[in-house]
Amino acid sequence: QVTAQVANKPLTLSASYARADGGMLLGVERSERTYSVSAAYPIWRNFRASVGYRKTDSTIDYFDVSTPTFGLQFSAIQF
């Protein structure tokens, strides 16, 4: 994870990798590798938007996935 200041706000860039294996599905060994990258930026007060991309490569083609990711987070409002 890397953070840089853009217009005096923190832009956070993240990357991850995950590996899962050892399982069987209908007699076929299944293992997966998932890669993801994302960027998050505060857009207004307690709201933070993120955009990214995730790719999963499985030994069973049916489970291969490539998809964009979008998010909106907000922190609790304090009185």
Side-chain angles (χ1 to χ4, degrees), residues 1 3 5 8 12 15 24 32 36 38 40 42 46 58 61 66 71 75:
Q1 189 173 38
T3 302
Q5 292 292 318
N8 294 324
T12 304
M24 298 285 284
E32 294 181 344
S36 65
S38 66
N46 297 331
S58 176
D61 290 341
S66 295
S75 56

Side-chain angles (χ1 to χ4, degrees), residues 23-76:
M24 298 285 284
L25 179 65
L26 300 174
V28 178
E29 186 175 335
R30 179 178 174 193
S31 67
E32 294 181 344
R33 290 179 178 81
T34 301
Y35 309 87
S36 65
V37 293
S38 66
Y41 190 72
I43 53 174
W44 184 70
R45 292 189 183 179
N46 297 331
F47 290 94
R48 183 175 186 84
S50 64
V51 62
Y53 183 77
R54 182 175 64 229
K55 178 177 177 56
T56 298
D57 184 23
S58 176
T59 54
I60 300 174
D61 290 341
Y62 179 79
F63 295 103
D64 288 351
V65 177
S66 295
T67 186
T69 59
F70 303 95
L72 185 60
Q73 296 176 301
F74 61 95
S75 56

